[in-house]
Amino acid sequence: MSVITHHIPDAMLTAYAVGNLPQPFAFVVASHVSLCQQCRASLEAHQAMGGVVLETTDVVAISNDLKFNTLSQLDAPFTPAPIYDRSGVFPGPVVKALKGQPPRWKTLGMGVRQHILTADNEGSLRLLYIPSGKAVPEHGHNGLELTLILQGSFHDEVGHFGVGDVEIGDVDLAHTPIADAGDPCICLAATDAPLRFKSLVPRLLQPLFRI
Amino acid sequence: MHLRIYYMMKAILDIPFTLPLAPAVTRYERKLLPNTKIKVSEQTVWMLAVRDDRDRNAFADLFDYFAPRLKGFIIKTGVSGAQAEEIVQDVMLTVWRKSAQFDPHRAQVSAWIYQIARNRQIDLIRKYNRPLPEELIESPGTESDAGQMLAMDQEAQHLKQALSKLNESQRHVIEKAYMGELTHQQISDQTGLPLGTIKSRIRLGLERLRAELKGLR
């Protein structure tokens, strides 16, 4: 059992609590909070503050039939949203992004594989599979990149990251994550802009792989 | 300017909020009052009656208290009155249906309802349901802890007082942030809300679930 040492910054937890984080990052935060009691407590503190704002808001009178309509629906049948439980190394929010299916890995070369979960104008969310000793090609970022470790560990120019840790890459960080010995490293990576690769070949492949 | 707001809020909100859980009484007085119940807020009492007894009258009380606040809150985020009422209804029905998820050891009722309301609003804006952390649900038979529940209510009360002591523009920044009107970047720039005391109180609430949390990792 590894101890989580790299957490979600507080401003990002606030943005998540109030619902203002791009979707790919929201998945990473929800997944990390599922694994990290410390960040869950911080998130719930923001919810407590939100509750205070709600309670102290000026009241606006509701129309006469709203209460009656609501009470009359208490017994109405409803379909609860599906709940995705943790599956293996994947926390519930990742299982949700996978729609309950196992990942279908596509090779990126050098033994590195990925499964793209979402890719749209808000950014991309994908799972990465890095065999021990292998590296994700050195890259910089046009925007922000969050990487949550789900299995194994990696190290790069910044430090060492184990299960539950989150690495935050911004425009100033160019890094080459290398998976440590042991289990292959599986991570959840989110960006709000395409990555910038340094060498020509991955750059040419980039549109193809949508990374 | 931003930094100044931060430090003003820090100065105001970061006061140590510790109150004794039980009133300071002598042993003799305690003996005389063996059945004195610790008073949690009436919202918590209503919510527990809804959760544990499916009490419709308690739900009606919750509705009377929260529906006009929810409507005011939702309208402030720029939604029309009619649509706001639809959202209020959705939120209150969710309160009824998901009441098993309410844990008074970790949240005051308004915090729980706030999150339901934000989730609903975000899901309406986006096509995709927003990702939420795994739920931690108390296993049956876990003893409830009245002292922790009361302390949670008190912490929320302290936050409320702290917010009311801010000046108009400071309060406005916080309201905007929690209504979802500031971007992540704007939040990083200006609202470093120090929520240390309530955070440690919530951690105590989470500790109660430690056995299950261990199983999760």
PDB file of all heavy atoms in Angstrom, chain B residues 170-197:
ATOM      1  N   GLN B 170     -16.053  41.316  -0.511  1.00  0.00           N
ATOM      2  CA  GLN B 170     -15.414  40.041  -0.178  1.00  0.00           C
ATOM      3  C   GLN B 170     -16.426  38.901  -0.275  1.00  0.00           C
ATOM      4  O   GLN B 170     -16.147  37.833  -0.805  1.00  0.00           O
ATOM      5  CB  GLN B 170     -14.872  40.082   1.258  1.00  0.00           C
ATOM      6  CG  GLN B 170     -13.725  41.059   1.471  1.00  0.00           C
ATOM      7  CD  GLN B 170     -13.438  41.240   2.951  1.00  0.00           C
ATOM      8  OE1 GLN B 170     -14.353  41.191   3.784  1.00  0.00           O
ATOM      9  NE2 GLN B 170     -12.185  41.453   3.282  1.00  0.00           N
ATOM     10  N   ARG B 171     -17.617  39.182   0.263  1.00  0.00           N
ATOM     11  CA  ARG B 171     -18.643  38.145   0.257  1.00  0.00           C
ATOM     12  C   ARG B 171     -19.056  37.823  -1.180  1.00  0.00           C
ATOM     13  O   ARG B 171     -19.300  36.678  -1.529  1.00  0.00           O
ATOM     14  CB  ARG B 171     -19.845  38.610   1.078  1.00  0.00           C
ATOM     15  CG  ARG B 171     -20.717  37.479   1.550  1.00  0.00           C
ATOM     16  CD  ARG B 171     -21.626  37.860   2.698  1.00  0.00           C
ATOM     17  NE  ARG B 171     -22.455  38.987   2.359  1.00  0.00           N
ATOM     18  CZ  ARG B 171     -22.536  40.109   3.084  1.00  0.00           C
ATOM     19  NH1 ARG B 171     -21.832  40.225   4.191  1.00  0.00           N
ATOM     20  NH2 ARG B 171     -23.293  41.094   2.710  1.00  0.00           N
ATOM     21  N   HIS B 172     -19.078  38.867  -1.985  1.00  0.00           N
ATOM     22  CA  HIS B 172     -19.472  38.692  -3.375  1.00  0.00           C
ATOM     23  C   HIS B 172     -18.512  37.747  -4.107  1.00  0.00           C
ATOM     24  O   HIS B 172     -18.950  36.889  -4.887  1.00  0.00           O
ATOM     25  CB  HIS B 172     -19.508  40.062  -4.062  1.00  0.00           C
ATOM     26  CG  HIS B 172     -20.114  40.027  -5.421  1.00  0.00           C
ATOM     27  ND1 HIS B 172     -21.414  39.609  -5.629  1.00  0.00           N
ATOM     28  CD2 HIS B 172     -19.611  40.345  -6.637  1.00  0.00           C
ATOM     29  CE1 HIS B 172     -21.670  39.669  -6.925  1.00  0.00           C
ATOM     30  NE2 HIS B 172     -20.601  40.104  -7.561  1.00  0.00           N
ATOM     31  N   VAL B 173     -17.212  37.883  -3.837  1.00  0.00           N
ATOM     32  CA  VAL B 173     -16.219  37.017  -4.488  1.00  0.00           C
ATOM     33  C   VAL B 173     -16.483  35.559  -4.108  1.00  0.00           C
ATOM     34  O   VAL B 173     -16.490  34.664  -4.962  1.00  0.00           O
ATOM     35  CB  VAL B 173     -14.777  37.411  -4.074  1.00  0.00           C
ATOM     36  CG1 VAL B 173     -13.774  36.380  -4.570  1.00  0.00           C
ATOM     37  CG2 VAL B 173     -14.444  38.791  -4.613  1.00  0.00           C
ATOM     38  N   ILE B 174     -16.759  35.323  -2.829  1.00  0.00           N
ATOM     39  CA  ILE B 174     -16.995  33.944  -2.385  1.00  0.00           C
ATOM     40  C   ILE B 174     -18.280  33.399  -2.992  1.00  0.00           C
ATOM     41  O   ILE B 174     -18.323  32.270  -3.480  1.00  0.00           O
ATOM     42  CB  ILE B 174     -17.050  33.889  -0.843  1.00  0.00           C
ATOM     43  CG1 ILE B 174     -15.659  34.271  -0.310  1.00  0.00           C
ATOM     44  CG2 ILE B 174     -17.470  32.507  -0.358  1.00  0.00           C
ATOM     45  CD1 ILE B 174     -15.454  34.016   1.130  1.00  0.00           C
ATOM     46  N   GLU B 175     -19.318  34.216  -2.992  1.00  0.00           N
ATOM     47  CA  GLU B 175     -20.583  33.752  -3.582  1.00  0.00           C
ATOM     48  C   GLU B 175     -20.399  33.411  -5.055  1.00  0.00           C
ATOM     49  O   GLU B 175     -20.870  32.371  -5.521  1.00  0.00           O
ATOM     50  CB  GLU B 175     -21.665  34.823  -3.415  1.00  0.00           C
ATOM     51  CG  GLU B 175     -22.204  34.864  -1.996  1.00  0.00           C
ATOM     52  CD  GLU B 175     -23.174  36.015  -1.757  1.00  0.00           C
ATOM     53  OE1 GLU B 175     -23.428  36.812  -2.704  1.00  0.00           O
ATOM     54  OE2 GLU B 175     -23.656  36.123  -0.616  1.00  0.00           O
ATOM     55  N   LYS B 176     -19.692  34.275  -5.760  1.00  0.00           N
ATOM     56  CA  LYS B 176     -19.467  34.006  -7.185  1.00  0.00           C
ATOM     57  C   LYS B 176     -18.709  32.693  -7.374  1.00  0.00           C
ATOM     58  O   LYS B 176     -19.036  31.887  -8.239  1.00  0.00           O
ATOM     59  CB  LYS B 176     -18.685  35.157  -7.834  1.00  0.00           C
ATOM     60  CG  LYS B 176     -19.598  36.214  -8.416  1.00  0.00           C
ATOM     61  CD  LYS B 176     -18.824  37.422  -8.918  1.00  0.00           C
ATOM     62  CE  LYS B 176     -18.002  37.112 -10.165  1.00  0.00           C
ATOM     63  NZ  LYS B 176     -17.435  38.358 -10.738  1.00  0.00           N
ATOM     64  N   ALA B 177     -17.680  32.490  -6.537  1.00  0.00           N
ATOM     65  CA  ALA B 177     -16.882  31.262  -6.670  1.00  0.00           C
ATOM     66  C   ALA B 177     -17.761  30.030  -6.474  1.00  0.00           C
ATOM     67  O   ALA B 177     -17.741  29.102  -7.284  1.00  0.00           O
ATOM     68  CB  ALA B 177     -15.737  31.265  -5.666  1.00  0.00           C
ATOM     69  N   TYR B 178     -18.578  30.035  -5.411  1.00  0.00           N
ATOM     70  CA  TYR B 178     -19.359  28.830  -5.096  1.00  0.00           C
ATOM     71  C   TYR B 178     -20.619  28.699  -5.949  1.00  0.00           C
ATOM     72  O   TYR B 178     -21.279  27.668  -5.928  1.00  0.00           O
ATOM     73  CB  TYR B 178     -19.637  28.750  -3.590  1.00  0.00           C
ATOM     74  CG  TYR B 178     -18.368  28.354  -2.856  1.00  0.00           C
ATOM     75  CD1 TYR B 178     -17.478  29.318  -2.389  1.00  0.00           C
ATOM     76  CD2 TYR B 178     -18.010  27.016  -2.727  1.00  0.00           C
ATOM     77  CE1 TYR B 178     -16.286  28.967  -1.779  1.00  0.00           C
ATOM     78  CE2 TYR B 178     -16.827  26.648  -2.121  1.00  0.00           C
ATOM     79  CZ  TYR B 178     -15.969  27.624  -1.649  1.00  0.00           C
ATOM     80  OH  TYR B 178     -14.778  27.259  -1.066  1.00  0.00           O
ATOM     81  N   MET B 179     -20.949  29.746  -6.694  1.00  0.00           N
ATOM     82  CA  MET B 179     -22.023  29.612  -7.667  1.00  0.00           C
ATOM     83  C   MET B 179     -21.479  29.170  -9.020  1.00  0.00           C
ATOM     84  O   MET B 179     -22.219  29.087  -9.998  1.00  0.00           O
ATOM     85  CB  MET B 179     -22.769  30.930  -7.810  1.00  0.00           C
ATOM     86  CG  MET B 179     -23.678  31.146  -6.635  1.00  0.00           C
ATOM     87  SD  MET B 179     -24.479  32.722  -6.717  1.00  0.00           S
ATOM     88  CE  MET B 179     -25.453  32.602  -5.214  1.00  0.00           C
ATOM     89  N   GLY B 180     -20.167  28.928  -9.067  1.00  0.00           N
ATOM     90  CA  GLY B 180     -19.583  28.408 -10.298  1.00  0.00           C
ATOM     91  C   GLY B 180     -19.330  29.479 -11.331  1.00  0.00           C
ATOM     92  O   GLY B 180     -19.265  29.192 -12.524  1.00  0.00           O
ATOM     93  N   GLU B 181     -19.165  30.729 -10.895  1.00  0.00           N
ATOM     94  CA  GLU B 181     -18.973  31.797 -11.869  1.00  0.00           C
ATOM     95  C   GLU B 181     -17.525  32.205 -12.045  1.00  0.00           C
ATOM     96  O   GLU B 181     -17.238  33.103 -12.825  1.00  0.00           O
ATOM     97  CB  GLU B 181     -19.829  33.006 -11.482  1.00  0.00           C
ATOM     98  CG  GLU B 181     -21.282  32.766 -11.836  1.00  0.00           C
ATOM     99  CD  GLU B 181     -22.214  33.784 -11.218  1.00  0.00           C
ATOM    100  OE1 GLU B 181     -21.780  34.921 -11.017  1.00  0.00           O
ATOM    101  OE2 GLU B 181     -23.361  33.411 -10.934  1.00  0.00           O
ATOM    102  N   LEU B 182     -16.610  31.576 -11.309  1.00  0.00           N
ATOM    103  CA  LEU B 182     -15.193  31.871 -11.515  1.00  0.00           C
ATOM    104  C   LEU B 182     -14.539  30.646 -12.146  1.00  0.00           C
ATOM    105  O   LEU B 182     -14.838  29.515 -11.778  1.00  0.00           O
ATOM    106  CB  LEU B 182     -14.494  32.193 -10.188  1.00  0.00           C
ATOM    107  CG  LEU B 182     -15.046  33.360  -9.363  1.00  0.00           C
ATOM    108  CD1 LEU B 182     -14.170  33.595  -8.138  1.00  0.00           C
ATOM    109  CD2 LEU B 182     -15.128  34.633 -10.191  1.00  0.00           C
ATOM    110  N   THR B 183     -13.655  30.885 -13.113  1.00  0.00           N
ATOM    111  CA  THR B 183     -12.932  29.768 -13.724  1.00  0.00           C
ATOM    112  C   THR B 183     -11.871  29.259 -12.748  1.00  0.00           C
ATOM    113  O   THR B 183     -11.564  29.910 -11.752  1.00  0.00           O
ATOM    114  CB  THR B 183     -12.210  30.217 -15.009  1.00  0.00           C
ATOM    115  OG1 THR B 183     -11.232  31.199 -14.643  1.00  0.00           O
ATOM    116  CG2 THR B 183     -13.185  30.813 -16.019  1.00  0.00           C
ATOM    117  N   HIS B 184     -11.316  28.111 -13.101  1.00  0.00           N
ATOM    118  CA  HIS B 184     -10.240  27.539 -12.289  1.00  0.00           C
ATOM    119  C   HIS B 184      -9.119  28.558 -12.112  1.00  0.00           C
ATOM    120  O   HIS B 184      -8.592  28.756 -11.014  1.00  0.00           O
ATOM    121  CB  HIS B 184      -9.727  26.262 -12.969  1.00  0.00           C
ATOM    122  CG  HIS B 184      -8.495  25.708 -12.339  1.00  0.00           C
ATOM    123  ND1 HIS B 184      -7.477  25.173 -13.075  1.00  0.00           N
ATOM    124  CD2 HIS B 184      -8.118  25.619 -11.049  1.00  0.00           C
ATOM    125  CE1 HIS B 184      -6.521  24.771 -12.251  1.00  0.00           C
ATOM    126  NE2 HIS B 184      -6.881  25.026 -11.032  1.00  0.00           N
ATOM    127  N   GLN B 185      -8.748  29.240 -13.214  1.00  0.00           N
ATOM    128  CA  GLN B 185      -7.673  30.226 -13.155  1.00  0.00           C
ATOM    129  C   GLN B 185      -8.041  31.377 -12.203  1.00  0.00           C
ATOM    130  O   GLN B 185      -7.233  31.803 -11.377  1.00  0.00           O
ATOM    131  CB  GLN B 185      -7.385  30.771 -14.568  1.00  0.00           C
ATOM    132  CG  GLN B 185      -6.126  31.624 -14.629  1.00  0.00           C
ATOM    133  CD  GLN B 185      -4.893  30.878 -14.121  1.00  0.00           C
ATOM    134  OE1 GLN B 185      -4.601  29.763 -14.557  1.00  0.00           O
ATOM    135  NE2 GLN B 185      -4.169  31.457 -13.175  1.00  0.00           N
ATOM    136  N   GLN B 186      -9.272  31.862 -12.297  1.00  0.00           N
ATOM    137  CA  GLN B 186      -9.696  32.965 -11.421  1.00  0.00           C
ATOM    138  C   GLN B 186      -9.689  32.533  -9.958  1.00  0.00           C
ATOM    139  O   GLN B 186      -9.341  33.307  -9.075  1.00  0.00           O
ATOM    140  CB  GLN B 186     -11.092  33.451 -11.826  1.00  0.00           C
ATOM    141  CG  GLN B 186     -11.089  34.251 -13.119  1.00  0.00           C
ATOM    142  CD  GLN B 186     -12.490  34.442 -13.674  1.00  0.00           C
ATOM    143  OE1 GLN B 186     -13.358  33.577 -13.550  1.00  0.00           O
ATOM    144  NE2 GLN B 186     -12.713  35.600 -14.296  1.00  0.00           N
ATOM    145  N   ILE B 187     -10.078  31.274  -9.714  1.00  0.00           N
ATOM    146  CA  ILE B 187     -10.054  30.772  -8.337  1.00  0.00           C
ATOM    147  C   ILE B 187      -8.614  30.696  -7.833  1.00  0.00           C
ATOM    148  O   ILE B 187      -8.305  31.127  -6.725  1.00  0.00           O
ATOM    149  CB  ILE B 187     -10.757  29.394  -8.237  1.00  0.00           C
ATOM    150  CG1 ILE B 187     -12.254  29.554  -8.477  1.00  0.00           C
ATOM    151  CG2 ILE B 187     -10.509  28.758  -6.874  1.00  0.00           C
ATOM    152  CD1 ILE B 187     -13.003  28.249  -8.675  1.00  0.00           C
ATOM    153  N   SER B 188      -7.704  30.183  -8.692  1.00  0.00           N
ATOM    154  CA  SER B 188      -6.289  30.102  -8.278  1.00  0.00           C
ATOM    155  C   SER B 188      -5.774  31.495  -7.963  1.00  0.00           C
ATOM    156  O   SER B 188      -4.963  31.678  -7.065  1.00  0.00           O
ATOM    157  CB  SER B 188      -5.405  29.532  -9.386  1.00  0.00           C
ATOM    158  OG  SER B 188      -6.001  28.453 -10.001  1.00  0.00           O
ATOM    159  N   ASP B 189      -6.225  32.492  -8.732  1.00  0.00           N
ATOM    160  CA  ASP B 189      -5.715  33.852  -8.547  1.00  0.00           C
ATOM    161  C   ASP B 189      -6.215  34.496  -7.259  1.00  0.00           C
ATOM    162  O   ASP B 189      -5.516  35.291  -6.660  1.00  0.00           O
ATOM    163  CB  ASP B 189      -6.117  34.744  -9.733  1.00  0.00           C
ATOM    164  CG  ASP B 189      -5.358  34.363 -10.985  1.00  0.00           C
ATOM    165  OD1 ASP B 189      -4.371  33.610 -10.861  1.00  0.00           O
ATOM    166  OD2 ASP B 189      -5.757  34.795 -12.078  1.00  0.00           O
ATOM    167  N   GLN B 190      -7.446  34.200  -6.874  1.00  0.00           N
ATOM    168  CA  GLN B 190      -7.916  35.013  -5.763  1.00  0.00           C
ATOM    169  C   GLN B 190      -8.572  34.372  -4.562  1.00  0.00           C
ATOM    170  O   GLN B 190      -8.556  34.958  -3.504  1.00  0.00           O
ATOM    171  CB  GLN B 190      -8.826  36.119  -6.275  1.00  0.00           C
ATOM    172  CG  GLN B 190      -9.977  35.655  -7.137  1.00  0.00           C
ATOM    173  CD  GLN B 190     -10.777  36.853  -7.585  1.00  0.00           C
ATOM    174  OE1 GLN B 190     -11.000  37.749  -6.791  1.00  0.00           O
ATOM    175  NE2 GLN B 190     -11.213  36.879  -8.828  1.00  0.00           N
ATOM    176  N   THR B 191      -9.164  33.210  -4.656  1.00  0.00           N
ATOM    177  CA  THR B 191      -9.843  32.789  -3.443  1.00  0.00           C
ATOM    178  C   THR B 191      -9.106  31.644  -2.764  1.00  0.00           C
ATOM    179  O   THR B 191      -9.411  30.494  -2.995  1.00  0.00           O
ATOM    180  CB  THR B 191     -11.293  32.351  -3.702  1.00  0.00           C
ATOM    181  OG1 THR B 191     -11.249  31.229  -4.573  1.00  0.00           O
ATOM    182  CG2 THR B 191     -12.099  33.457  -4.314  1.00  0.00           C
ATOM    183  N   GLY B 192      -8.165  31.958  -1.958  1.00  0.00           N
ATOM    184  CA  GLY B 192      -7.510  30.919  -1.181  1.00  0.00           C
ATOM    185  C   GLY B 192      -8.270  30.773   0.120  1.00  0.00           C
ATOM    186  O   GLY B 192      -7.824  31.224   1.156  1.00  0.00           O
ATOM    187  N   LEU B 193      -9.443  30.148   0.043  1.00  0.00           N
ATOM    188  CA  LEU B 193     -10.284  30.071   1.239  1.00  0.00           C
ATOM    189  C   LEU B 193      -9.694  29.138   2.267  1.00  0.00           C
ATOM    190  O   LEU B 193      -9.571  27.945   2.030  1.00  0.00           O
ATOM    191  CB  LEU B 193     -11.657  29.520   0.842  1.00  0.00           C
ATOM    192  CG  LEU B 193     -12.772  30.532   0.715  1.00  0.00           C
ATOM    193  CD1 LEU B 193     -14.054  29.792   0.382  1.00  0.00           C
ATOM    194  CD2 LEU B 193     -12.928  31.338   1.977  1.00  0.00           C
ATOM    195  N   PRO B 194      -9.318  29.619   3.402  1.00  0.00           N
ATOM    196  CA  PRO B 194      -8.776  28.720   4.410  1.00  0.00           C
ATOM    197  C   PRO B 194      -9.919  28.011   5.136  1.00  0.00           C
ATOM    198  O   PRO B 194     -10.711  28.644   5.805  1.00  0.00           O
ATOM    199  CB  PRO B 194      -8.023  29.660   5.357  1.00  0.00           C
ATOM    200  CG  PRO B 194      -8.412  31.048   4.955  1.00  0.00           C
ATOM    201  CD  PRO B 194      -9.425  30.988   3.876  1.00  0.00           C
ATOM    202  N   LEU B 195     -10.008  26.732   4.922  1.00  0.00           N
ATOM    203  CA  LEU B 195     -11.120  25.975   5.505  1.00  0.00           C
ATOM    204  C   LEU B 195     -10.567  24.926   6.453  1.00  0.00           C
ATOM    205  O   LEU B 195     -11.152  23.874   6.645  1.00  0.00           O
ATOM    206  CB  LEU B 195     -11.932  25.310   4.387  1.00  0.00           C
ATOM    207  CG  LEU B 195     -12.672  26.268   3.448  1.00  0.00           C
ATOM    208  CD1 LEU B 195     -13.152  25.538   2.205  1.00  0.00           C
ATOM    209  CD2 LEU B 195     -13.845  26.923   4.149  1.00  0.00           C
ATOM    210  N   GLY B 196      -9.431  25.265   7.057  1.00  0.00           N
ATOM    211  CA  GLY B 196      -8.696  24.283   7.849  1.00  0.00           C
ATOM    212  C   GLY B 196      -9.479  23.596   8.942  1.00  0.00           C
ATOM    213  O   GLY B 196      -9.419  22.386   9.088  1.00  0.00           O
ATOM    214  N   THR B 197     -10.251  24.366   9.718  1.00  0.00           N
ATOM    215  CA  THR B 197     -10.909  23.762  10.878  1.00  0.00           C
ATOM    216  C   THR B 197     -11.988  22.791  10.460  1.00  0.00           C
ATOM    217  O   THR B 197     -12.083  21.685  10.982  1.00  0.00           O
ATOM    218  CB  THR B 197     -11.542  24.843  11.774  1.00  0.00           C
ATOM    219  OG1 THR B 197     -10.784  26.022  11.658  1.00  0.00           O
ATOM    220  CG2 THR B 197     -11.612  24.382  13.195  1.00  0.00           C
TER     221      THR B 197
END
